[in-house]
Amino acid sequence: MSKVCIITDSNSGITQSESKELGIVVIPMPFYINEVQHFEDIDMTQEEFYEALMDEKTEVSTSQPSPDTIMQTWRENLEEYDEIVHIPMSSGISSSCATAMMLAQEEEFEGKVFVVDNQRISVTQRRSVQQAKELAERGYSAKEIHDILFRDKFQSSIYIMVNTLKYLRKGGRLTPAVAAIGTVLRIKPVLQIQGEKLDSFSKSRGWKSAKKTMLDAMEKDLTERFAGQEMYLQVAYTCSAEEAEEWKAEVENRFPEYEVHMDPLSLSVACHIGHGARAIACSRKVPELS
């Protein structure tokens, strides 16, 4: 039986300290504040990031791990493991997945490194990583784990309420005029991921309406789209810890039959949506672990 290493990036929400506990390798995603490069959970905390974001003049942007960083991480772990399953964030949101898939074709990694493009981000990506680890512990090969996760790539759902339109406008997803009108009318966009990309789901007037929209949409997913399947339920946020706990409690109250996992959204995701966002997500438990 081959020894399989599971690697992901910090967009999974798995911190460096958690990675050691879980036996998973986490590559920190780089981001920029006023053109200075930082790495999440390495040289900047969540608190420091949002403090910087409070300054209206702060400019934030994202990047991807360098090819050298990815390859060196693989080389180091192949000294201890026979194979690697690498689970980056969704290819529909970042080019980091395509980069990793290209590097895996290099002769030294071919047949040893399997990059899974299973269209996940944040808490759903974390769940894929954890399931990959469980499958590895049960003796599945890297290729088998890759195929299982790839097969289930669309078996998840995310709804996210964005509190400010500022960063969507900066990213070119909204015109300045639409963003200005949305701010005046207190429009709270609800976005969704049910496939490769982040798409618009609805436009709500205020948090109360956005919350109802997300909870109703998740209930429909759980009772119709995923009816009869074993599901995980998760929440994520870029708001304060107190607001996050309130959101989690509301989700638990709506879905009392589920144990709800919560994580802050990664800083590279926060660069695009800003502070105050809340999300709800679900993902299917792969049948091989049932």
Side-chain angles (χ1 to χ4, degrees):
M1 183 177 73
S2 61
K3 192 176 180 184
V4 180
C5 176
I6 309 300
I7 297 178
T8 188
D9 58 51
S10 58
N11 278 312
S12 65
I14 300 174
T15 65
Q16 294 298 320
S17 59
E18 284 180 313
S19 72
K20 294 178 175 62
E21 296 172 9
L22 297 171
I24 292 164
V25 178
V26 176
I27 298 175
M29 293 294 290
F31 60 94
Y32 292 83
I33 296 182
N34 297 327
E35 300 185 351
V36 177
Q37 187 180 59
H38 297 277
F39 294 91
E40 181 167 6
D41 207 27
I42 299 295
D43 67 344
M44 178 164 284
T45 65
Q46 291 260 336
E47 293 75 18
E48 291 169 336
F49 174 82
Y50 290 116
E51 185 178 342
L53 213 60
M54 289 177 67
D55 185 343
E56 288 292 321
K57 296 180 180 179
T58 297
E59 293 291 333
V60 294
S61 60
T62 58
S63 185
Q64 60 174 302
S66 70
D68 285 344
T69 295
I70 295 171
M71 290 190 293
Q72 185 58 29
T73 301
W74 290 349
R75 290 186 186 110
E76 290 173 357
N77 285 281
L78 283 173
E79 292 179 3
E80 180 180 352
Y81 295 88
D82 302 308
E83 299 177 306
I84 289 172
V85 175
H86 184 96
I87 308 172
M89 66 186 293
S90 171
S91 64
I93 302 175
S94 169
S95 59
S96 60
C97 183
T99 298
M101 294 180 77
M102 177 188 68
L103 296 174
Q105 296 176 15
E106 295 288 330
E107 185 176 353
E108 65 176 307
F109 303 121
E110 191 172 3
K112 297 179 182 178
V113 177
F114 295 83
V115 179
V116 186
D117 182 13
N118 72 330
Q119 313 299 341
R120 303 295 174 91
I121 184 70
S122 184
V123 285
T124 59
Q125 184 181 353
R126 168 193 276 267
R127 181 54 64 182
S128 287
V129 172
Q130 291 175 311
Q131 293 193 110
K133 182 65 175 178
E134 290 182 54
L135 289 166
E137 290 172 348
R138 293 193 185 189
Y140 285 82
S141 69
K143 175 67 164 58
E144 289 170 331
I145 295 170
H146 168 278
D147 292 349
I148 290 169
L149 297 185
F150 186 77
R151 178 202 65 204
D152 269 34
K153 66 179 182 176
F154 294 133
Q155 302 304 311
S156 69
S157 184
I158 298 178
Y159 299 96
I160 180 168
M161 184 281 297
V162 179
N163 187 51
T164 173
L165 301 174
K166 173 183 175 181
Y167 300 96
L168 289 173
R169 177 182 62 79
K170 281 189 173 183
R173 292 176 173 84
L174 291 174
T175 65
V178 170
I181 292 172
T183 300
V184 170
L185 296 178
R186 295 177 57 245
I187 296 297
K188 303 295 184 186
V190 175
L191 312 176
Q192 69 170 348
I193 303 176
Q194 290 193 346
E196 296 181 0
K197 295 184 179 297
L198 185 67
D199 297 315
S200 175
F201 182 73
S202 73
K203 296 179 179 66
S204 301
R205 291 286 295 274
W207 163 231
K208 185 176 180 180
S209 176
K211 175 175 61 179
K212 184 178 186 304
T213 295
M214 291 194 291
L215 291 173
D216 289 348
M218 182 55 63
E219 181 172 346
K220 184 176 182 180
D221 281 344
L222 293 172
T223 58
E224 296 181 16
R225 182 182 171 203
F226 298 119
Q229 301 186 59
E230 193 171 357
M231 304 296 295
Y232 300 104
L233 191 61
Q234 306 117 333
V235 295
Y237 63 93
T238 64
C239 55
S240 69
E242 182 181 356
E243 290 171 321
E245 288 294 345
E246 290 176 357
W247 172 228
K248 182 184 179 186
E250 293 194 59
V251 172
E252 290 173 330
N253 184 60
R254 182 68 173 266
F255 305 102
E257 67 273 32
Y258 288 93
E259 181 180 343
V260 180
H261 176 85
M262 181 171 70
D263 275 335
L265 285 160
S266 70
L267 295 184
S268 60
V269 172
C271 285
H272 295 288
I273 60 175
H275 187 267
R278 299 159 177 87
I280 184 170
C282 70
S283 53
R284 185 177 85 149
K285 184 175 185 178
V286 297
E288 287 79 2
L289 293 174
S290 297

